[in-house]
Amino acid sequence: MDQIKIFAPATVANVSCGFDVLGFALDTIGDEMHIRKSDKKGITITKIVGEDLPYDAKKNVVGAAGYALLDALNSDAGFEIDIYKKIKPGSGIGSSAASAAGTVFAINKLLGNPFNNTELVRFAMEGERLACGSAIADNVSAALFGGFTLVRSYAPLDIIKINTPNQLYATVIHPQIEIKTADARRVLKDTVPLKDAIKQWGNVGGLISGLYTEDYGLISRSLHDYVAEPFRSVLIPGFDLVKQKSIEAGALGCGISGSGPSIFALSKGLENAQKVADAMKEVYKNIGIDFYVYVSKINTEGVKIIS
Ligand code: HSE
């Protein structure tokens, strides 16, 4: 195999209660990447369609992630990469993670699969380090493993793939404003009061249990965030109203997608997820901010080969 075309999914990180440790992958939005073996050593970005991003591989998350993998093998292999960006940087649905995860997945395949998924997450995290200054694993884990993922530990890296209930659908609204992850991390506090930590870890346990037992009521009761949302929601115009209207429309829960500005909701069944999308749209139409809306089944496969 000398070349590969892949789909790298958008992802929702944190899932309300799991700051930096929980994530899930979407089906209906993601980037496409074409990767070819090349005689020229290292990583050469040959095409970027859809966004204005650096061609210099050392300045692009694609290079940061790809070179982390090649360096681990002491490899002098060469690859050319065409990137068809569909996920806007600064959207909160894992734009840099899709590029980083797609790159390491494809190079690993073309080299005959020397690494497992957890090792690929470690390389893809270098893309996140370049993008926002922190080597976060939640988006890249969801992109590489698919479904819901838990970063049980960062050191040593321990990623757990969680069951995805069949009737679970996501609605994501992306208001057309940009929030840089680095900025959204700066508004957080270094410490969490014990009373909030108690509520937060109760909800993490509840959500994981609800996902395994497919208990939609328990999932709903667990989708709360006392760590990031109180500080970040003020950065997103209309957030409180979107959340209120989504719950009224039948969502199990609603919160900030990753570091925002996208807002996600989870619903039981496609019909409910579409009603939630209509409710979210109405809020931003009234505020006068442009948006994109995605309704998606949870993508349980992660990065996949399209040809
Ligand atoms: N967990 C990260 C954050 C995700 O919330 O900052 C960034 O998309």
Side-chain angles (χ1 to χ4, degrees):
M1 198 201 285
D2 286 338
Q3 53 181 307
I4 189 172
K5 293 184 183 172
I6 55 120
F7 169 82
T11 46
V12 170
N14 301 339
V15 202
S16 290
C17 54
F19 179 73
D20 273 3
V21 299
L22 286 175
F24 66 83
L26 297 169
D27 238 355
T28 51
I29 172 159
D31 293 343
E32 199 177 307
M33 302 173 82
H34 302 179
I35 293 109
R36 298 173 291 280
K37 283 187 181 166
S38 158
D39 292 335
K40 190 175 163 210
K41 182 176 180 272
I43 291 166
T44 310
I45 300 173
T46 33
K47 197 187 270 187
I48 304 176
V49 178
E51 291 296 332
D52 188 15
L53 293 166
Y55 273 81
D56 178 350
K58 298 271 184 203
K59 295 185 179 148
N60 191 305
V61 298
V62 157
Y67 279 116
L69 187 160
L70 293 177
D71 290 350
L73 286 174
N74 260 327
S75 167
D76 56 5
F79 298 91
E80 288 179 354
I81 305 187
D82 300 340
I83 309 166
Y84 297 85
K85 247 357 249 165
K86 307 270 170 60
I87 315 169
K88 269 190 182 304
S91 57
I93 47 172
S95 179
S96 53
S99 295
T103 301
V104 296
F105 173 93
I107 292 178
N108 192 50
K109 275 274 175 286
L110 293 174
L111 292 176
N113 289 319
F115 296 111
N116 66 30
N117 264 345
T118 301
E119 290 166 320
L120 294 183
V121 167
R122 188 155 48 81
F123 304 134
M125 285 164 68
E126 293 307 317
E128 297 291 65
R129 194 194 302 280
L130 178 71
C132 76
S134 308
I136 316 161
D138 48 6
N139 289 98
V140 290
S141 297
L144 282 160
F145 282 76
F148 281 83
T149 46
L150 168 72
V151 185
R152 198 224 30 101
S153 156
Y154 271 77
L157 196 58
D158 187 4
I159 315 290
I160 320 288
K161 184 167 177 168
I162 310 293
N163 180 61
T164 298
N166 195 36
Q167 280 304 301
L168 206 55
Y169 284 80
T171 310
V172 176
I173 190 156
H174 174 201
Q176 297 300 288
I177 52 172
E178 189 184 343
I179 295 181
K180 289 195 171 25
T181 297
D183 295 337
R185 293 179 81 78
R186 241 174 261 129
V187 304
L188 300 178
K189 304 275 178 260
D190 287 337
T191 55
V192 178
L194 186 59
K195 66 175 183 20
D196 292 336
I198 290 168
K199 290 188 258 186
Q200 195 86 0
W201 58 54
N203 284 323
V204 175
L207 181 56
I208 303 288
S209 176
L211 290 169
Y212 272 110
T213 54
E214 311 209 352
D215 179 338
Y216 294 89
L218 178 54
I219 292 170
S220 178
R221 297 201 298 284
S222 307
L223 287 170
H224 301 288
D225 178 14
Y226 300 93
V227 170
E229 189 180 298
F231 304 102
R232 285 178 165 176
S233 57
V234 292
L235 304 174
I236 307 171
F239 174 80
D240 290 340
L241 198 55
V242 167
K243 183 168 174 169
Q244 183 197 322
K245 295 287 177 192
S246 299
I247 305 286
E248 282 170 15
L252 298 169
C254 175
I256 302 171
S257 174
S259 53
S262 289
I263 302 170
F264 83 98
L266 288 171
S267 300
K268 183 177 183 187
L270 180 58
E271 208 179 307
N272 280 332
Q274 272 157 349
K275 280 189 197 148
V276 170
D278 291 341
M280 288 178 164
K281 283 183 206 170
E282 204 50 39
V283 174
Y284 277 111
K285 272 188 206 152
N286 288 336
I287 296 179
I289 294 179
D290 289 340
F291 56 81
Y292 292 111
V293 176
Y294 310 100
V295 174
S296 175
K297 209 166 166 51
I298 310 303
N299 167 357
T300 54
E301 213 179 338
V303 180
K304 66 177 179 212
I305 299 172
I306 42 187
S307 67

